[in-house]
Amino acid sequence: MSLLFEYVDVTDGRFLAAALTIAFNPLFWNLVARWEHRTRSLTRVFRSPYTACGCLGAVILLLNFLRSRCFVEAMKSQPKLEVLDCPPGYYAGLALMAVGSLFVFSSFLALGFTGTFLGDYFGILMEAKVTCFPFSVLDNPMYWGSSTVYLGWSVMYASPAGLILTAAVMLCYTIALCYEGPFTEEIYRQKGKQE
């Protein structure tokens, strides 16, 4: 890891912007979703939990586009790692991106829009826990698929900065899951009590 830091200027503005968006996004959606679960304020403003969830989902998508843009700009502004800057490195990165994308898109198809974008915090609960692919092979496949896409990008760009930022993505998702998992389980536990 120390070798990577020899190639990375962590004071570069683009690197810092990427790091900030990586940390901000899961913090934002977790805070807003918990606030909504507690107050139902967005549901009241939009007069529908589905519309409110859709608007939050749209904001999350825009924030993710911004994060991805900052991530790519940070990689472009930093030196490359020679050992990865070759056709096998490029194709390995492409394969990682394909696998990550498979997990992200299949998660979305299994969960639907509201399941993907925190619908349970809006009171839009699924009938049962999703257990089909990719959930049958991996817990939280949306997060780990997204992390794998970032890893693939980093390897394709032969970017030490990208590898460090990918580690930051994984760390932020791991922290978010420490809060999301138990909170979501409690929502469904309460649903079970009401039935």
Side-chain angles (χ1 to χ4, degrees):
M1 188 67 125
S2 63
L3 173 67
L4 292 180
F5 282 106
E6 292 175 19
Y7 285 86
V8 179
D9 177 8
V10 295
T11 63
D12 176 64
R14 287 172 273 205
F15 183 87
L16 292 172
L20 285 173
T21 58
I22 287 166
F24 176 78
N25 287 8
L27 177 65
F28 169 80
W29 72 62
N30 274 288
L31 289 175
V32 171
R34 282 179 180 236
W35 172 70
E36 170 61 19
H37 181 72
R38 223 177 32 259
T39 67
R40 296 291 188 240
S41 295
L42 292 174
T43 295
R44 282 196 303 278
V45 167
F46 290 102
R47 298 188 178 147
S48 161
Y50 290 92
T51 305
C53 180
C55 288
L56 178 60
V59 170
I60 290 169
L61 284 171
L62 290 172
L63 288 171
N64 285 340
F65 288 134
L66 175 63
R67 175 180 62 183
S68 295
R69 175 72 179 175
C70 290
F71 189 94
V72 170
E73 290 302 315
M75 287 192 300
K76 286 180 176 178
S77 72
Q78 302 273 341
K80 291 187 173 200
L81 193 60
E82 295 83 23
V83 71
L84 291 177
D85 196 14
C86 59
Y90 178 84
Y91 291 116
L94 199 59
L96 286 166
M97 286 185 69
V99 169
S101 296
L102 173 69
F103 281 116
V104 169
F105 292 123
S106 60
S107 296
F108 182 82
L109 291 174
L111 294 171
F113 190 89
T114 57
T116 299
F117 293 106
L118 306 162
D120 41 6
Y121 290 72
F122 290 81
I124 307 166
L125 303 179
M126 302 190 84
E127 291 298 318
K129 184 176 180 176
V130 176
T131 57
C132 63
F133 181 82
F135 295 89
S136 59
V137 296
L138 185 65
D139 285 335
N140 307 298
M142 182 75 72
Y143 283 164
W144 303 126
S146 174
S147 298
T148 305
V149 168
Y150 283 111
L151 178 60
W153 256 349
S154 301
V155 173
M156 280 180 68
Y157 276 89
S159 174
L163 293 172
I164 290 169
L165 291 169
T166 297
V169 168
M170 296 173 97
L171 176 64
C172 288
Y173 282 162
T174 300
I175 292 168
L177 286 170
C178 291
Y179 293 95
E180 284 178 25
F183 195 77
T184 303
E185 300 231 349
E186 179 60 22
I187 290 171
Y188 281 94
R189 191 181 66 71
Q190 289 173 5
K191 175 192 176 198
K193 278 185 179 178
Q194 292 173 355
E195 292 175 349

